[in-house]
Amino acid sequence: MGIEIEDKFDVSPDYELPDLSALAEVTGPESRHLIALYHDTPDLRLAARGVTLRRRRGGADAGWHLKLPQAKGVRQEITRPLTRKTVPAELAELVRAYTRGAELVPVAELDTRRNVTVLRKDGTALVEIADDRVKGTVLGEEPKVVRWREVEAELLEGGTKKLLAKVGKRLRKSGATPSQAGSKLAKLLEPAPIPTAATKPGSAGEVVLAYLRDQVQALLAQDPRVRRAEEDAVHQMRVAARRLRSALKAFKTVVTGTRAIQDELRRLGDVLGEARDLEVIRARFTKELDGLAPELVVGPVRTRLGDGLRERERQAYGRIREVLSDERYYRLLDDLDTLVAAPQWGKAADEPAQEELLKSARAAWERVTRAYDRAQAIDDPARREAAMHDVRKAAKRARYTAEAVGLGKPAGLAEGVQEALGAYQDGVVAQGLLAEEAARAREAGADTFTYGLLIGIERGAAERAHAGFPKVWKKTCKALAKVL
């Protein structure tokens, strides 16, 4: 697996590469012959999202390549050894969010004659420039052949983005033009863009739809990473689901008829949350144990807290993969595509964005204050603390609403309330989990001294967060009164 950062250029058949020796030592060109067979669904669902899945022969990296878009000019590349023409099961699994049960079939072949030039410094490869003459064949009952030439400048491990930009500038000065296609396959197939509804310029509908589209793309981009259990992927996918759900709640006068989508997003967030919470708390305990003097870590506490939580985390990931592979999840993704392509507009959709969306942000914060007032009116301490969890959830929703409409300061203030309450809640949850683990250790005849120390640390952290919250609340309310 690697991250591919490259710039692509269209060039004429008689184009000549410029002299790049002033930038670094130039080696090459070296000739290669590459033949790649691309797989996609019959309706090109991968290509439409900028995803490529190919089986390539020739060159130094023959094998199966899956490229997933990360940002403009940046793709994550996952490779597997060259096998028969059937797509490896692991790679097919990673594109399920795009195929949604549809069959993967060969859709195109690219026959590329490549001349490779490499820029080096002290023997380290910095940038690779590939001059490609391509014969592309669209497969089908009546195959279509297209020929073209292009140049790619790819950043290698030893190079910098600054050097890549300098190479691109030299290429443009010599007649190359930046390619509008994200890949050779996109140039050949020209897949239809993902449908997006038309909106009135400057309207609330325009702003909300753009935000929803971005979050749908973020959710899809994290799906393969979650299936691979990559670092922070569960968190990022959960955030995208929560942002979508919060936006649909907050802007219900702009986009209507989304209750069923909200319910499915909540279900997805819940199953992602189980693994995410275990990840966080395992890292939390590890940090706390590392902060103790060695003589205070008594018995196999690291193993119990580490391996035990890791096993629970592994089981949670298993449940995530089940959810991400069922028809219910695919229907949610289809519904999100429909939401972006043909939303049910509400009465506020055509209203001026600034006025209408500021109103939504103000209403979201008012929900936080009402939840806080209700919690403070409860006499029973246990019930009051439970109600404060609702304040935290309302603050998170207010934060996401402010982010969606570009209100940075209110979003940051709401996040401060959310984090202050979260620090207390995390400490309470950690104490409960430590008590459970201590009980299991005691039953096994192990020393529980260190568990008691950790519970004390967590109790202190929770109490400090609890004591400091009124000050955070007062400061936040005062600041928000000036901007909302």
Side-chain angles (χ1 to χ4, degrees):
M1 183 184 70
I3 297 297
E4 179 184 76
I5 301 175
E6 65 182 12
D7 294 325
K8 293 178 177 292
F9 301 89
D10 294 327
V11 298
S12 63
D14 57 353
Y15 174 78
E16 292 186 12
L17 281 177
D19 181 5
L20 300 173
S21 59
L23 301 179
E25 176 191 350
V26 178
T27 59
E30 176 186 329
S31 298
R32 299 173 185 171
H33 184 202
L34 312 173
I35 300 177
L37 184 65
Y38 287 79
H39 289 70
D40 203 333
T41 62
D43 55 357
L44 305 181
R45 298 180 187 184
L46 300 187
R49 298 282 185 181
V51 177
T52 59
L53 175 58
R54 72 188 180 200
R55 178 183 183 273
R56 189 162 78 180
R57 293 177 287 127
D61 60 347
W64 285 93
H65 303 167
L66 171 62
K67 296 188 179 185
L68 301 163
Q70 301 290 301
K72 184 175 176 59
V74 180
R75 294 193 292 177
Q76 181 184 29
E77 182 173 9
I78 300 167
T79 62
R80 289 294 176 267
L82 190 65
T83 61
R84 294 183 179 181
K85 294 184 179 181
T86 303
V87 177
E90 179 187 352
L91 299 186
E93 171 74 14
L94 295 180
V95 295
R96 277 179 177 263
Y98 305 102
T99 60
R100 301 173 197 176
E103 182 183 10
L104 287 167
V105 298
V107 295
E109 183 179 81
L110 292 178
D111 187 321
T112 303
R113 302 284 178 171
R114 168 171 290 181
N115 286 322
V116 177
T117 300
V118 179
L119 300 186
R120 301 177 184 273
K121 182 177 181 181
D122 298 329
T124 300
L126 310 176
V127 173
E128 178 181 281
I129 300 96
D131 181 359
D132 293 340
R133 297 177 185 272
V134 186
K135 173 187 173 184
T137 304
V138 180
L139 304 178
E141 293 183 2
E142 297 182 8
K144 182 181 75 171
V145 176
V146 180
R147 298 176 187 273
W148 72 91
R149 187 181 174 195
E150 68 179 43
V151 172
E152 298 176 356
E154 181 178 354
L155 185 64
L156 302 180
E157 188 173 351
T160 65
K161 290 184 178 180
K162 184 177 181 180
L163 177 59
L164 184 66
K166 289 182 178 180
V167 172
K169 184 176 180 180
R170 297 289 178 97
L171 294 175
R172 291 193 300 274
K173 280 189 173 182
S174 64
T177 58
S179 176
Q180 298 303 307
S183 66
K184 290 181 176 63
L185 186 66
K187 182 190 290 286
L188 175 63
L189 296 179
E190 298 180 341
I194 301 299
T196 302
T199 55
K200 180 180 177 181
S203 67
E206 180 185 45
V207 175
V208 170
L209 188 64
Y211 182 78
L212 294 174
R213 183 184 63 243
D214 289 346
Q215 296 311 313
V216 171
Q217 291 176 349
L219 186 115
L220 286 172
Q222 294 304 321
D223 179 288
R225 299 187 65 239
V226 169
R227 293 176 192 272
R228 288 171 56 85
E230 292 184 25
E231 184 178 358
D232 203 41
V234 164
H235 173 57
Q236 293 301 327
M237 190 175 191
R238 186 189 189 191
V239 167
R242 283 179 163 177
R243 283 177 170 157
L244 279 167
R245 185 165 170 251
S246 294
L248 295 175
K249 281 179 174 290
F251 306 125
K252 59 186 178 182
T253 60
V254 178
V255 178
T256 66
T258 64
R259 177 59 65 84
I261 292 178
Q262 291 178 42
D263 290 344
E264 290 302 306
L265 287 169
R266 179 178 58 194
R267 171 180 176 258
L268 178 60
D270 287 346
V271 74
L272 292 168
E274 182 184 4
R276 171 59 181 171
D277 292 345
L278 287 167
E279 284 178 349
V280 169
I281 206 160
R282 182 164 56 83
R284 183 186 185 106
F285 290 160
T286 298
K287 182 178 180 180
E288 289 172 356
L289 286 168
D290 288 345
L292 293 176
E295 63 269 19
L296 298 179
V297 182
V298 181
V301 61
R302 286 185 184 274
T303 300
R304 284 186 172 275
L305 291 180
D307 293 350
L309 291 176
R310 191 175 288 106
E311 174 58 23
R312 290 172 60 180
E313 192 179 320
R314 187 191 65 79
Q315 294 173 3
Y317 266 98
R319 287 186 283 275
I320 288 173
R321 292 187 182 95
E322 288 179 6
V323 168
L324 298 189
S325 299
D326 65 24
E327 291 296 329
R328 188 171 173 178
Y329 174 62
Y330 299 153
R331 285 196 299 272
L332 169 62
L333 298 181
D334 287 342
D335 289 343
L336 289 173
D337 285 346
T338 300
L339 176 69
V340 171
Q344 296 180 37
W345 293 118
K347 59 183 180 181
D350 287 337
E351 296 297 322
Q354 185 173 5
E355 178 182 339
E356 189 62 35
L357 299 181
L358 182 61
K359 189 189 304 180
S360 296
R362 189 179 298 117
W365 179 249
E366 288 172 353
R367 278 190 288 272
V368 182
T369 60
R370 289 196 299 270
Y372 179 77
D373 291 341
R374 285 194 300 270
Q376 295 306 302
I378 299 173
D379 293 329
D380 180 64
R383 290 179 53 235
R384 183 170 60 250
E385 295 308 329
M388 288 298 289
H389 186 55
D390 292 334
V391 180
R392 180 191 182 190
K393 291 191 291 185
K396 183 176 294 186
R397 178 177 166 187
R399 167 196 167 190
Y400 290 153
T401 302
E403 286 177 349
V405 300
L407 297 175
K409 186 172 182 179
L413 291 167
E415 184 178 9
V417 170
Q418 170 199 330
E419 289 182 348
L421 290 171
Y424 172 76
Q425 181 66 22
D426 291 346
V428 171
V429 171
Q431 289 175 65
L433 197 149
L434 284 167
E436 292 175 6
E437 293 297 326
R440 293 191 182 95
R442 191 178 300 111
E443 290 175 3
D447 193 310
T448 60
F449 171 77
T450 305
Y451 293 95
L453 281 180
L454 294 178
I455 289 173
I457 292 171
E458 293 291 355
R459 181 174 294 134
E463 289 175 352
R464 287 191 297 274
H466 186 271
F469 182 74
K471 183 178 180 180
V472 173
W473 178 256
K474 183 178 180 180
K475 180 181 178 181
T476 300
C477 289
K478 183 178 180 180
L480 283 173
K482 298 178 180 179
V483 294
L484 288 181

